[in-house]
Amino acid sequence: MGKKITNKVTWVGKVDWELKNFHGHEYSTRRGSSYNSYLIRDEKVVLIDTVWQPFDKEFVSRLKKEIDLNEIDYIVANHSEIDHSGALVELMREIPNTPIYCTANGAKIIKGHFHQDWNFVTVKTGDTLDIGESKLVFVEAPMLHWPDSMFTYMTGENILFSNDAFGQHYATESLFNDIADQSELYEEATKYYANILTPYSRLVTKKIEEVLALNLPLSMICTSHGVIWKDNPAQIIEQYLKWADDYQENQITLVYDTMWDSTRIMAEAIAAGIEEADPSVKIKLMNTSKEDKNDVVTEIFKSKAILLGSPTINNGFMHSIGGLLEMVTGLKMKGKKAAAFGSYGWGGEAVKQLTEALKKAGFTVKEDGKRSQWVPDDTELQSLKEYGKEFVAFLNEK
Ligand code: FEO
C-alpha cells in the first residue's frame, strides 16, 4: 500500500533494494534505488509519475488497492525517462483517456518510447492546473537532465515534485531525509550529482535562482529517487548551489591502472611528495580496475586536482583509464588541474596521450607528465617525490 506523506499526498512508488546497476551498467547503485510516484487527492485526483517498467504490474495492482483508477483525473509526467514513465503502458491500458500533463518534449519522447497517442496536454513554465484547494504550477527544467524534464509545485501543501533533481539512488523504507543515515544519504546525493548533473551545472544554478525568485513557500521536496526532503528541504538546494559552482575540496586524487605495479609505485611516490609539500591536502589513490567507476568520478568531482596514470600498452593506455576518460570528458568538470604519469618499457606514448586527453576533458594540465622506465629504483623514487612537489607548486600558480 501507499505511504501517507501529507493528508493529500500519498507515496505510491517502488523501492528497489536489489538494483545494483542503472542506465545499463553506466551507474552503480550499490544501495539500490526507488522510483517515487505520488498520488494527490484534492477535489481532483492526480498521479505524479510512475515507476520503471519491470514493476509496472505490481505498481498498477498496488495503485488499485489505493484508489479506483477511474477516479484519477490527471497524470503528470515530469520526466519521460523510462524509470518514471515505464509503467504508463500498463496504467493507460486501464484508463486510456486520462490526460497526461507534460512538456512538449515530454510528449514527443513518451511517444518515441511507447508509440501511443495518449491524451497529452502540454504545459510550459507558469502554467497551472486547478485541482481544488490546491493548484499545480509547472516549471520546465530542460536539460536537468533531459530536454523534457519538469518540476511540479503544489500550492497549499507547498511541495515541489522535482523528479530527478535533488534525488539519490538510495533505497529507503522510511522515505524521509531525517530518518536516513546522513552520511550514506549525502554520499549517494553527491555521487548522483557528480555522475549525472555535473555537465548541466550552469543550468542548475540558473534554474534554482529562477525558482527561488518565485518566493514559493517550501515544506517538502518530493524527488523521484531516494528520500523526500522534509526536514529543512533548503539544505539540498543550498548544497546543489555549491556543487554547481565548480565544486572542489582541498583534495588531490591519483587515479591509475597498473600492470606489474610500476605505475602504482609511481602513484605512491608522487603522493608522498605531495604530502611533504602540502600536509594539509587530502590525498586519495584509486586503482581504476579495482574501484567502482562512479566512485572514482565522485572523488574526481570532489578534487581540486588529479593525477592520471597508466603504463603504456600497445602504444596507448589501459582500457579502464580509457573508459574513465570517456566518462570524465562527458561530465565537463570545470576549474580543476591535472597531470599524467605512467611507467613504460619502450615507446612510452601513454603519458603524452593522457596529457592531451585531460586537456580535451577541460582540465588545466601540467604539460610535462612523469614517465618512469621499467621499475623505479631509489633515484627514480626520489624524482617521483620531487614531481609530487612540483605538482603542488603547479597548483599554487595562478
Ligand atoms: Fe530517473 Fe532521468 O530518470
Side-chain angles (χ1 to χ4, degrees):
M1 293 296 283
K3 294 184 183 187
K4 207 167 169 179
I5 306 296
T6 70
N7 282 337
K8 287 185 183 171
V9 180
T10 306
W11 176 92
V12 289
K14 172 70 188 173
V15 181
D16 189 353
W17 286 93
E18 291 194 359
L19 188 78
K20 293 298 161 213
N21 285 289
F22 191 76
H23 285 160
H25 277 250
E26 198 68 4
Y27 192 112
S28 60
T29 48
R30 76 169 74 89
R31 295 193 176 101
S33 191
S34 65
Y35 320 105
N36 297 336
S37 166
Y38 303 93
L39 187 69
I40 301 174
R41 290 183 181 92
D42 201 327
E43 285 165 32
K44 298 287 185 185
V45 176
V46 185
L47 181 73
I48 309 255
D49 295 320
T50 68
V51 302
W52 189 28
Q53 184 273 329
F55 300 102
D56 59 356
K57 288 186 176 56
E58 177 183 335
F59 170 74
V60 170
S61 99
R62 282 195 290 115
L63 194 59
K64 279 182 183 169
K65 288 180 188 145
E66 192 66 47
I67 197 162
D68 176 347
L69 297 183
N70 293 303
E71 287 180 28
I72 298 175
D73 296 289
Y74 313 116
I75 295 165
V76 172
N78 274 329
H79 181 27
S80 57
E81 195 164 6
I82 55 162
D83 48 328
H84 310 294
S85 66
L88 274 176
V89 173
E90 192 67 19
L91 180 66
M92 298 310 277
R93 238 194 284 282
E94 306 258 1
I95 47 171
N97 300 316
T98 309
I100 300 174
Y101 284 71
C102 59
T103 61
N105 278 326
K108 269 188 223 160
I109 298 171
I110 292 173
K111 282 182 197 172
H113 280 151
F114 306 113
H115 314 293
Q116 301 283 334
D117 203 14
W118 291 317
N119 179 12
F120 294 103
V121 181
T122 58
V123 293
K124 295 193 186 71
T125 294
D127 288 353
T128 59
L129 177 63
D130 279 308
I131 57 170
E133 287 176 353
S134 289
K135 226 168 41 174
L136 298 182
V137 183
F138 302 108
V139 180
E140 291 171 278
M143 296 320 296
L144 293 177
H145 68 129
W146 270 25
D148 65 300
S149 298
M150 172 173 91
F151 303 155
T152 300
Y153 178 78
M154 181 182 182
T155 65
E157 301 292 279
N158 305 333
I159 294 176
L160 182 70
F161 295 96
S162 63
N163 198 268
D164 282 338
F166 311 119
Q168 335 82 47
H169 286 302
Y170 184 39
T172 165
E173 286 298 319
S174 52
L175 288 183
F176 296 112
N177 67 305
D178 53 331
I179 299 167
D181 179 313
Q182 297 302 293
S183 75
E184 284 183 3
L185 171 59
Y186 268 90
E187 203 177 287
E188 293 303 334
T190 312
K191 177 180 171 183
Y192 189 94
Y193 189 97
N195 283 273
I196 296 178
L197 288 160
T198 305
Y200 314 114
S201 283
R202 297 293 177 269
L203 296 171
V204 168
T205 310
K206 226 172 122 195
K207 185 54 59 181
I208 289 178
E209 284 169 355
E210 181 191 320
V211 173
L212 291 178
L214 298 174
N215 273 322
L216 301 167
L218 189 63
S219 64
M220 238 182 274
I221 300 175
C222 288
T223 66
S224 61
H225 296 292
V227 301
I228 292 169
W229 298 94
K230 182 181 181 187
D231 176 49
N232 182 19
Q235 67 179 286
I236 191 63
I237 297 177
E238 284 157 20
Q239 191 59 59
Y240 261 49
L241 286 172
K242 285 183 199 159
W243 285 333
D245 189 19
D246 301 343
Y247 185 75
Q248 51 180 253
E249 297 175 13
N250 187 23
Q251 176 175 331
I252 297 172
T253 307
L254 292 95
V255 175
Y256 64 91
D257 201 348
T258 191
M259 290 171 70
W260 293 107
D261 277 346
S262 288
T263 300
R264 173 182 63 76
I265 291 165
M266 290 181 75
E268 290 174 3
I270 295 169
I274 294 171
E275 203 273 331
E276 212 169 289
D278 182 1
S280 73
V281 71
K282 183 164 60 183
I283 302 165
K284 291 190 182 176
L285 276 71
M286 301 183 95
N287 180 329
T288 46
S289 67
K290 297 186 182 181
E291 301 280 354
D292 178 284
K293 63 194 179 308
N294 303 105
D295 288 346
V296 176
V297 165
T298 307
E299 293 306 324
I300 293 175
F301 172 76
K302 285 158 61 183
S303 299
K304 63 180 179 184
I306 65 164
L307 285 121
L308 188 64
S310 172
T312 296
I313 175 169
N314 298 333
N315 310 110
F317 44 81
M318 291 180 80
H319 85 277
S320 74
I321 294 292
L324 181 76
L325 270 168
E326 189 64 24
M327 293 172 80
V328 170
T329 303
L331 289 168
K332 300 184 177 70
M333 296 183 193
K334 293 193 170 58
K336 298 188 192 296
K337 292 190 171 180
F341 68 100
S343 67
Y344 69 106
W346 61 99
E349 297 90 340
V351 169
K352 183 76 192 144
Q353 291 170 8
L354 292 179
T355 301
E356 292 310 311
L358 284 164
K359 281 187 212 166
K360 194 176 152 222
F363 290 81
T364 303
V365 184
K366 183 168 158 56
E367 286 290 342
D368 55 330
K370 179 67 180 164
R371 298 193 308 170
S372 298
Q373 192 171 23
W374 302 119
V375 180
D377 60 9
D378 284 348
T379 309
E380 184 62 11
L381 287 173
Q382 193 52 41
S383 158
L384 286 158
K385 226 171 142 180
E386 289 307 314
Y387 188 79
K389 292 180 189 172
E390 279 171 34
F391 188 68
V392 171
F394 168 68
L395 299 190
N396 292 332
E397 286 169 14
K398 287 280 173 208

